[in-house]
Amino acid sequence: MSDFEITALVLAEHEIFRRDFGALEDLTGQELADAWTALAARLEVHAVAEEELFYPLLAQEADGEEETAEGVHDHNAIRHAAAAVDDHELGSDGWWEAVRNARQVNADHMAEEETDFFPPFKDAVDDEKREALGMRWLAFHDEHEEAEGLSGEDADVAEVVATEVPEGDPTV
Ligand SMILES: [Fe+2]
Ligand SMILES: [Fe+2]
C-alpha cells in the first residue's frame, strides 16, 4: 500500500494539525495571526475533503450512516469553535481559550476517526479504490488551497450520505 492511500493522507494531516496547534503557543503578533488563519483554512479544507471523499463511502459501503452523522456533526462543531476565535482580540485570554477549545474539539474528533471510523472504512473499501481516493484527496487540496472556493458553512448529514463519490484515479 502506497503513501497515497486516503486514510494515510488523512492521518498525515491530523499529525500536522496536532503539530500546528502546539506551534501556535510559541508565536505572537502577526506570526500568530497568520499561523492561525492558515490553520483554520486547513481545517476547513480537511473537513470538506472528508465530506466529499471519506464519509459518503463510510455511510454507503461500511454501513456507517450513524458514524457519518457523528463525523459531520463534529465537523460543524469544529467550524463553530474555529469561527468563535475571531470574536476575540488576537492573543487575548479569550482568544487563547477559544483556540484551545477548537484544538480540543478537533483532537477528540480526529481520535474518533482514527480509532472508530478508519477500520470499518478500510474493511469495506478495497485498496485500489482507497488509492484512487487518495489521489482525489491530493487534487482537492491543490484546488482549494487556503480554503479558496469553500463556503465554511455547516455541512448537511443527508447531503454527505447521498454524495456520489467518483470512481477511479483522477490522474489516469
Ligand atoms: Fe473529520
Ligand atoms: Fe480528519
Side-chain angles (χ1 to χ4, degrees), residues 49-66:
E50 287 182 344
E51 287 156 8
E52 294 199 359
L53 299 172
F54 176 81
Y55 281 105
L57 292 174
L58 185 69
Q60 295 161 17
E61 299 195 11
D63 197 21
E65 283 207 27
E66 217 171 287

Side-chain angles (χ1 to χ4, degrees), residues 16-113:
I16 291 170
F17 291 140
R18 291 181 174 107
R19 185 196 69 197
D20 285 358
F21 267 110
L24 291 177
E25 307 277 341
D26 298 325
L27 301 176
T28 55
Q30 196 56 47
E31 278 187 343
L32 180 60
D34 292 346
W36 168 249
T37 301
L39 175 51
R42 195 156 193 167
L43 286 169
E44 180 60 17
V45 177
H46 184 91
V48 180
E50 287 182 344
E51 287 156 8
E52 294 199 359
L53 299 172
F54 176 81
Y55 281 105
L57 292 174
L58 185 69
Q60 295 161 17
E61 299 195 11
D63 197 21
E65 283 207 27
E66 217 171 287
E67 289 80 357
T68 295
E70 208 170 308
V72 171
H73 171 271
D74 284 357
H75 284 186
N76 292 338
I78 294 163
R79 289 181 167 108
H80 302 166
V85 171
D86 295 328
D87 294 340
H88 302 275
E89 191 190 332
L90 178 79
S92 65
D93 288 349
W95 189 90
W96 278 112
E97 199 181 313
V99 167
R100 289 181 186 128
N101 178 56
R103 181 183 188 173
Q104 189 60 52
V105 173
N106 187 55
D108 292 346
H109 170 67
M110 294 192 302
E112 188 170 36
E113 286 184 333

Side-chain angles (χ1 to χ4, degrees), residues 132 135-136 139 168-172:
M135 299 312 289
R136 290 189 183 277
D169 186 334
T171 61
V172 292

